[in-house]
Amino acid sequence: MDDRCRLYLITPPVLPPGFEDHLAAALDAGDVACLQLRLKDAPRDDVRRAVQRLMPIAQKRDVAFLLNDDAHLAAELGCDGAHLGQSDGDHAGARMLLNGKILGITCHASRHLAMNAGEMGADYVAFGAFFPTSTKETQHVAETGLLEWWSELMEIPSVAIGGITAANCAPLVRAGADFLAVVGAVWNHPEGAAAGVRRMNQAISEALDGR
């Protein structure tokens, strides 16, 4: 497993017009490990069309393309994997369905849920929220000690999520997060998404350098 913490990019809650160009610019700007398409409550046909539009952009750049919530649609459309919350269906069934593909599981701030996900065969566990976020209602607050415990105990990568920015990510990187999941830090960057990706990668490097 790569020791370097990497960027895990999640799409905006609503895709703006011309989003394909914004996405291509963001992915060309610096290291991004994967892209998660997250369109909560969107009709399945809309999600299907978004996958067909955006997945080629990510895969052309060797960025893994994950679909939020729907393992069946991810498998059907040839996504690189899926990310499932605790209430998103049968995790064990999704693991079998996505054989050879990536399966990530939301574990909130729970060691128990993370251990269960690991035993079930998840490829990564997601912890959070670490900071306040406007993307979704925060019901679980995680501490950096959770990342430290997991990284010392388990080989399965961890993803930190929730209100993460270039300004606040250093403790998460130093605590052992393998990936930082971001939305607003990239898409809402005042200089554009490409600048957001560059700034996040810079912040990760500075945190690893101990500055």
Side-chain angles (χ1 to χ4, degrees), residues 3 6 42-43 50 56 82 90 102 109-110 131 152 154 156 174 183 186:
D3 288 337
R6 300 182 67 194
D90 173 14
I102 299 167
S110 171
F131 305 104
E152 290 171 4
M154 302 292 285
I156 300 167
R174 293 175 188 146
V183 184
V186 166

Side-chain angles (χ1 to χ4, degrees), residues 1 12 14 31 50 81 95 115 176 182 209:
M1 189 172 65
V14 177
D31 180 60
R95 176 67 288 169
M115 294 295 287
V182 298
D209 290 342

Side-chain angles (χ1 to χ4, degrees), residues 90-110:
D90 173 14
H91 291 172
R95 176 67 288 169
M96 289 188 285
L97 181 67
L98 294 170
N99 184 36
K101 305 275 189 172
I102 299 167
L103 177 63
I105 303 290
T106 294
C107 298
H108 305 303
S110 171

Side-chain angles (χ1 to χ4, degrees), residues 37-110:
L37 177 64
R38 184 178 187 274
L39 299 176
K40 292 298 261 188
D41 303 321
R44 211 160 188 246
D45 283 346
D46 289 357
V47 175
R48 187 187 303 273
R49 283 191 289 270
V51 170
Q52 292 166 342
R53 284 165 41 209
L54 303 180
M55 185 164 64
I57 298 171
Q59 292 181 338
K60 180 181 178 182
R61 292 161 173 82
D62 293 323
V63 175
F65 187 91
L66 307 182
L67 182 60
N68 181 259
D69 288 353
D70 195 331
H72 288 277
L73 191 58
E76 176 191 329
L77 297 178
C79 299
D80 295 302
H83 177 90
L84 301 181
Q86 284 297 316
S87 60
D88 292 331
D90 173 14
H91 291 172
R95 176 67 288 169
M96 289 188 285
L97 181 67
L98 294 170
N99 184 36
K101 305 275 189 172
I102 299 167
L103 177 63
I105 303 290
T106 294
C107 298
H108 305 303
S110 171

Side-chain angles (χ1 to χ4, degrees), residues 3-202:
D3 288 337
R4 174 176 163 76
C5 181
R6 300 182 67 194
L7 201 55
Y8 180 122
L9 189 56
I10 301 175
T11 60
V14 177
L15 302 182
F19 180 69
E20 291 93 330
D21 292 338
H22 295 295
L23 176 61
L27 298 184
D28 286 339
D31 180 60
V32 177
C34 64
L35 176 73
Q36 181 195 128
L37 177 64
R38 184 178 187 274
L39 299 176
K40 292 298 261 188
D41 303 321
R44 211 160 188 246
D45 283 346
D46 289 357
V47 175
R48 187 187 303 273
R49 283 191 289 270
V51 170
Q52 292 166 342
R53 284 165 41 209
L54 303 180
M55 185 164 64
I57 298 171
Q59 292 181 338
K60 180 181 178 182
R61 292 161 173 82
D62 293 323
V63 175
F65 187 91
L66 307 182
L67 182 60
N68 181 259
D69 288 353
D70 195 331
H72 288 277
L73 191 58
E76 176 191 329
L77 297 178
C79 299
D80 295 302
H83 177 90
L84 301 181
Q86 284 297 316
S87 60
D88 292 331
D90 173 14
H91 291 172
R95 176 67 288 169
M96 289 188 285
L97 181 67
L98 294 170
N99 184 36
K101 305 275 189 172
I102 299 167
L103 177 63
I105 303 290
T106 294
C107 298
H108 305 303
S110 171
R111 297 183 182 204
H112 175 69
L113 292 178
M115 294 295 287
N116 284 350
E119 290 170 3
M120 187 273 301
D123 294 290
Y124 69 80
V125 297
F127 294 121
F130 285 93
F131 305 104
T133 173
S134 61
T135 305
K136 61 188 294 187
E137 183 180 349
T138 300
Q139 297 178 324
H140 306 272
V141 177
E143 304 289 342
T144 54
L146 184 60
L147 294 170
E148 293 171 351
W149 166 79
W150 184 260
S151 66
E152 290 171 4
L153 185 69
M154 302 292 285
E155 290 294 321
I156 300 167
S158 65
V159 175
I161 194 167
I164 297 169
T165 67
N168 66 21
C169 71
L172 307 179
V173 176
R174 293 175 188 146
D178 296 287
F179 301 94
L180 301 182
V182 298
V183 184
V186 166
W187 306 117
N188 298 337
H189 193 283
E191 297 172 28
V197 168
R198 286 192 293 269
R199 182 65 191 99
M200 282 301 308
N201 274 299
Q202 179 186 6

